[in-house]
Amino acid sequence: MTRLQESESEAKADGETASDSESRVEAATLPPSADDTPEVLNRALSNLSSRWKNWWVRGILTLAMIAFFFIIIYLGPMVLMMIVMCVQIKCFHEIITIGYNVYHSYDLPWFRTLSWYFLLCVNYFFYGETVTDYFFTLVQREEPLRILSKYHRFISFTLYLTGFCMFVLSLVKKHYRLQFYMFGWTHVTLLIVVTQSHLVIHNLFEGMIWFIVPISCVICNDIMAYMFGFFFGRTPLIKLSPKKTWEGFIGGFFATVVFGLLLSYVMSGYRCFVCPVEYNNDTNSFTVDCEPSGLFRLQEYNIPGVIQSIIGWKTVRMYPFQIHSIALSTFASLIGPFGGFFASGFKRAFKIKDFANTIPGHGGIMDRFDCQYLMATFVNVYIASFIRGPNPSKLVQQFLTLRPDQQLHIFNTLKSHLTDKGMLTAATEDK
C-alpha cells in the first residue's frame, strides 16, 4: 500500500472525508426565514403587491433606524461605544448561529462555549489596549488598573492559550475535520466582526465626525442605490446579488458624494463633532471641546478654468474636510458595496436569505452592517495615513510616568536640541 493510500485510510478511520463533510453540509438545511413583518404593517399594506409592500416596509423601518441613530448620537460617545459593542455581539451571534445550525447534527463538543470564550478573550485584548491608550492617566492613578495595564498582553495571551488548550482537549476522533472547520469559522468571524468594531471605536475617538460621516455615507448609498434600482434599474450588476443593478450602483454613487459634501459642511462647523473625544480626569467624563484644527476651518479654493466656464464661479469657500469626504463617500459607494456582495455570497453558500430576522424587511443586524465594517477599516487606515500626527498630550502623559532621572535626561536632551535650533537662547536657559 502506498503512502497516499495509507493516509487516505487513516483519514477515513479518524473521521469523515472532505466529500462526506461537504455532502453532509450541502444536505444540512437551515430554518427558513419567517415573515416577521409587524401585524399592523401587514394589515395596512395588505392591498399592495409584494414588491410595493416590501418597499414600504423597508422604507418605514429605515426611517425608524435613522431616527434611532440620531438619538444615540445625541446621547454622546459613551452610548455610541456601548451600541457598537452590542452590535458586535449580535453580529457575532448571527454568524456563529449559522455555523451551529449547519453542523448541529454532529453534536460538536464545546463549540458554542469556546466560540463565546474566544469572543471574550479578543474583546478583553482590544478594549484593554483602548483603555490603556485613551485613559492613560486614569489607569496610572488606580493601582489595580495599572497592574492590569502593565501585564495586559501577557494576560490576554494566557486567556487565549487557555481556550486553545480547551479546543485541543475537546477534539473527538470521528469529528477532527469538522472541529477544525468550526475553529477556523470562529476565528474568521472574530477577524471580521471584533477587529472592525474595534476600529469603529478608534475612529470615534478621533472625532465624532469621523464616525458619523462614514456611517451616514454607507447608509445614504444603501438607500439611494435601492431607490434608483427600484425605479430605474434594468441592467443586472452582479450575479451574487441579482436585484442589484448598474443604475442603482451609479445613482447611489453620485447621490452619496453630494450627500457627503453637504453633511461634512454642516458638521464641520460644530466643535462637538470635530473635536477628538478625550477623557477629562477632573470631571471623570468625556469631553469634546477644543480649538478646531485647520481641517475644519473655511478656506478659499480656486476653481479650475474648465469648471469656471460652466458654473461662473472663480473661487469657492469650503472646509478641507469636505475634500476628504469625497474620498470617504467614493469608497462607501464603489468599494463598500463589495462588503454586501461578500455577505451575499456567504448567504448563498448556505442557502439562506438573511443572517437573521431581527429587523423586518432588512434581515439581521449583520445584513445592515456588512458594508459598515469594511468602511470602518478604510477610515482607520485613511486617518493613520493622511490625517493623524503626533499627539502632544499623550507624549506628556507618558513623560510624567517616567522615573525622575529619565525625565531629567529627556529634559536636557530636549533643551539641547531647542538651543541648537535657535528656539531657546542662552539668556532663556539662565533664567
Side-chain angles (χ1 to χ4, degrees):
M1 183 182 292
T2 65
R3 180 175 294 276
L4 177 61
Q5 290 172 326
E6 288 176 2
S7 61
E8 288 177 351
S9 300
E10 290 173 3
K12 291 178 180 178
D14 289 344
E16 296 173 285
T17 64
S19 59
D20 292 336
S21 301
E22 290 171 4
S23 62
R24 288 284 299 276
V25 172
E26 193 71 27
T29 57
L30 293 171
S33 300
D35 183 10
D36 53 355
T37 306
E39 187 60 31
V40 62
L41 287 180
N42 274 327
R43 287 200 301 267
L45 305 174
S46 58
N47 295 328
L48 298 177
S49 65
S50 59
R51 182 170 182 261
W52 279 100
K53 178 183 176 182
N54 183 61
W55 190 88
W56 279 103
V57 170
R58 287 176 66 95
I60 292 170
L61 292 171
T62 295
L63 292 176
M65 287 188 287
I66 291 174
F68 177 70
F69 183 55
F70 284 139
I71 292 171
I72 61 174
I73 290 173
Y74 175 77
L75 293 175
M78 193 64 186
V79 175
L80 280 172
M81 283 187 280
M82 293 174 63
I83 294 296
V84 170
M85 171 66 85
C86 292
V87 167
Q88 174 213 116
I89 293 173
K90 180 58 179 156
C91 290
F92 182 83
H93 171 259
E94 289 177 359
I95 298 177
I96 289 299
T97 298
I98 292 174
Y100 180 74
N101 287 336
V102 169
Y103 296 108
H104 72 282
S105 59
Y106 293 96
D107 192 26
L108 299 181
W110 297 2
F111 165 57
R112 284 193 294 187
T113 302
L114 284 174
S115 296
W116 287 101
Y117 177 80
F118 281 125
L119 175 67
L120 177 67
C121 292
V122 175
N123 269 309
Y124 176 81
F125 171 73
F126 279 126
Y127 282 93
E129 294 280 312
T130 301
V131 167
T132 302
D133 192 21
Y134 290 99
F135 306 94
F136 187 80
T137 305
L138 175 64
V139 168
Q140 294 300 316
R141 193 171 63 196
E142 302 292 336
E143 184 65 20
L145 291 178
R146 191 180 64 81
I147 295 173
L148 287 174
S149 173
K150 182 177 181 180
Y151 301 106
H152 171 68
R153 296 196 175 186
F154 180 79
I155 295 172
S156 300
F157 179 71
T158 302
L159 289 173
Y160 179 83
L161 203 59
T162 301
F164 179 81
C165 293
M166 289 170 63
F167 167 74
V168 174
L169 293 174
S170 73
L171 290 173
V172 178
K173 187 174 183 180
K174 63 178 180 178
H175 295 320
Y176 286 160
R177 192 186 303 272
L178 286 170
Q179 286 182 281
F180 279 102
Y181 282 165
M182 299 315 299
F183 184 77
W185 181 293
T186 299
H187 281 68
V188 170
T189 304
L190 291 171
L191 176 65
I192 293 174
V193 175
V194 182
T195 306
Q196 315 300 329
S197 63
H198 175 68
L199 296 179
V200 170
I201 292 178
H202 268 254
N203 299 341
L204 175 61
F205 275 107
E206 295 295 329
M208 290 183 67
I209 196 169
W210 291 104
F211 174 86
I212 297 172
V213 169
I215 287 180
S216 299
C217 284
V218 172
I219 293 173
C220 175
N221 182 70
D222 193 33
I223 294 172
M224 298 311 297
Y226 177 77
M227 296 288 285
F228 276 95
F230 185 88
F231 290 106
F232 308 109
R234 297 290 184 273
T235 312
L237 175 63
I238 187 170
K239 291 183 179 179
L240 283 173
S241 295
K243 293 183 180 180
K244 299 289 193 302
T245 63
W246 276 104
E247 291 80 2
F249 186 74
I250 296 171
F253 165 69
F254 286 107
T256 303
V257 171
V258 173
F259 171 80
L261 285 169
L262 295 176
L263 181 63
S264 299
Y265 181 83
V266 173
M267 295 187 67
S268 294
Y270 294 90
R271 293 189 179 188
C272 60
F273 292 129
V274 304
C275 291
V277 179
E278 296 180 346
Y279 185 78
N280 189 316
N281 295 293
D282 298 328
T283 61
N284 288 325
S285 62
F286 289 101
T287 59
V288 285
D289 188 28
C290 69
E291 187 64 31
S293 67
L295 204 60
F296 304 105
R297 294 176 183 170
L298 282 170
Q299 297 183 20
E300 197 168 86
Y301 294 91
N302 293 321
I303 298 176
V306 178
I307 302 178
Q308 284 184 27
S309 61
I310 299 174
I311 64 176
W313 298 348
K314 293 185 178 181
T315 60
V316 61
R317 283 175 60 81
M318 60 189 298
Y319 294 100
F321 180 79
Q322 288 181 272
I323 300 174
H324 294 291
S325 77
I326 297 175
L328 299 179
S329 56
T330 299
F331 184 91
S333 304
L334 301 184
I335 308 299
F338 280 84
F341 301 152
F342 177 86
S344 296
F346 180 89
K347 289 182 284 187
R348 280 180 170 272
F350 294 98
K351 296 181 172 56
I352 55 176
K353 181 182 178 183
D354 299 309
F355 283 94
N357 299 320
T358 310
I359 310 171
H362 291 270
I365 298 295
M366 190 64 199
D367 290 286
R368 293 299 90 209
F369 283 84
D370 46 12
C371 301
Q372 295 287 5
Y373 283 133
L374 193 61
M375 187 72 190
T377 305
F378 172 73
V379 173
N380 192 269
V381 171
Y382 189 88
I383 292 173
S385 301
F386 305 109
I387 306 298
R388 185 189 294 131
N391 190 324
S393 62
K394 289 184 179 179
L395 291 175
V396 171
Q397 288 175 356
Q398 293 177 346
F399 175 80
L400 294 176
T401 61
L402 299 175
R403 297 193 311 270
D405 60 310
Q406 293 174 322
Q407 293 178 355
L408 187 61
H409 174 71
I410 293 176
F411 170 76
N412 290 327
T413 302
L414 182 60
K415 184 175 68 173
S416 176
H417 174 72
L418 294 176
T419 302
D420 292 341
K421 294 186 68 174
M423 299 175 66
L424 192 65
T425 62
T428 306
E429 289 185 52
D430 294 338
K431 292 181 181 179

